[in-house]
Amino acid sequence: MKDNILWANKAWTDTFEKVKSTSEEMSVNFPAMTTNGIYSDTDRPWGWVVGFWPGLLWLLYEKESYSTFKDMAIDRELIMDGPLDEFVNIHHDVGFMWQLTSIKHYDLLGNEESKTRALRAASHLASRFNINGRFLTAWNKNDVNSADPKGLSIIDSMMNLPILYWAAEQLDAPRFKLIAMAHADTVLKEFIREDGSVRHMVEFDCFSGKVKQYHGGQGYNQDSAWSRGASWAVHGFALSYQHTKEDRYLEAAMRTADFFIEHLAEDSVPYWDFRAPITPETPRDTSAGACAASGLLVLAELAPTPELRERYFLAANNILHNLYKNYGTYNDNTNQGILVGGTFNYPKGLGINCSLIYGDYYFVEGLYRLKNKLESM
Ligand code: GLY
């Protein structure tokens, strides 16, 4: 087993060196996606992606003690106080934003202000719970034009639940955990299909709580299987099981993981939608591969039998290794991303075959988890 993952030590060192040089040349605070290899800034200071770059810097700082990365991450966290104080534009993705920044800062350095920021973000997320539909509401008025956001929920929400589990523990306030679990139960019922494929968006009647409509969202259509949505489910249910030990979340994580693994392309990296027609031009989404692989490493610690733990571990290791070998930019110092081959929003023609900051983040998180595994052997 150990020999299979030694590659991750070199990948980690290559990544550290790459990020040292890109962080010096990059002129933006919150890289989102690349055009011709150059990262542009997020288009909205309250956008869901702002936590990933500081989160990536924290992961590297934790193992390398390179203080420039810590300082850069803290600078970004302070800028993020703008949208947190302004409040009206923040949304369901506050877990992505403050989990990877403020909670990490608090965990590593005990900064009390960071803890308060994350508790405020968690309180906002809890307030988005629709009591009749038992789901966390996505977005705000005017954020989306395809459906009425008052009754909309999306699979991405599963990755935001850990900030609620964390707040429940910090404040000894089970209400946060109960909201997270009520939402996870609704996702399990309405988003996860019997075969393990996953819906992106479900629109509920915000008063009765009944399902009104399924939307294709960023996927090919409403019956398809958008691969990043699948990765949010695999990783998110694994984390919900880690925090609650409720078997139904473990079963959901394994069912969605099995679908994901069985539908990977021949190079172990997913196409952007598992049910899109495949032609030689069909793009991959390396961010889906990276996010799922990092989640599979969580699942590999939790699955009930040695065979299943090995299955998920080997799948994760294989995806990450293929991303490193075939999609890494280590020999291309004109590309500021770590991975190419990401797809942001295929139906809208946005961000296709580029680097995406969340793809880079989850790839580094996957390597970080492999490093932890190596260190424990
Ligand atoms: N959370 C939006 C996306 O996955 O693109």
Side-chain angles (χ1 to χ4, degrees), residues 48 93 96 156 218 226 228 232 344 358:
W48 73 283
D93 275 333
F96 282 124
D156 322 33
Q218 280 163 250
W226 176 47
R228 195 162 58 254
W232 297 143
F344 166 48
Y358 32 98

Side-chain angles (χ1 to χ4, degrees), residues 48-49 52 92-93 96 139 154 156-157 160 200 218 226 228-229 232 285 287 343-345 356 358:
W48 73 283
V49 301
F52 292 110
H92 61 281
D93 275 333
F96 282 124
W139 295 302
I154 59 172
D156 322 33
S157 59
N160 288 287
H200 182 197
Q218 280 163 250
W226 176 47
R228 195 162 58 254
W232 297 143
D285 181 12
S287 77
T343 296
F344 166 48
N345 191 327
L356 298 167
Y358 32 98

Side-chain angles (χ1 to χ4, degrees), residues 163-271:
I163 200 170
L164 296 178
Y165 297 127
W166 174 85
E169 277 178 23
Q170 296 299 318
L171 298 175
D172 192 20
R175 65 184 187 276
F176 288 97
K177 184 175 181 181
L178 294 175
I179 287 175
M181 291 172 68
H183 176 75
D185 288 339
T186 301
V187 170
L188 187 46
K189 180 161 171 266
E190 303 296 352
F191 287 70
I192 310 301
R193 302 188 187 100
E194 199 51 44
D195 65 358
S197 67
V198 176
R199 298 192 166 98
H200 182 197
M201 289 161 64
V202 179
E203 186 178 356
F204 298 84
D205 180 298
C206 70
F207 295 108
S208 73
K210 296 213 163 58
V211 172
K212 274 170 74 175
Q213 206 183 333
Y214 301 118
H215 294 266
Q218 280 163 250
Y220 179 66
N221 64 29
Q222 69 169 44
D223 300 318
S224 74
W226 176 47
S227 59
R228 195 162 58 254
S231 78
W232 297 143
V234 171
H235 200 150
F237 273 108
L239 293 173
S240 269
Y241 177 66
Q242 188 180 48
H243 287 280
T244 65
K245 296 290 178 286
E246 292 290 340
D247 285 345
R248 61 192 182 280
Y249 302 150
L250 177 63
E251 188 279 329
M254 294 198 299
R255 182 151 42 110
T256 53
D258 291 342
F259 181 92
F260 195 97
I261 294 166
E262 278 150 29
H263 288 79
L264 288 168
E266 63 282 359
D267 64 355
S268 298
V269 173
Y271 287 104

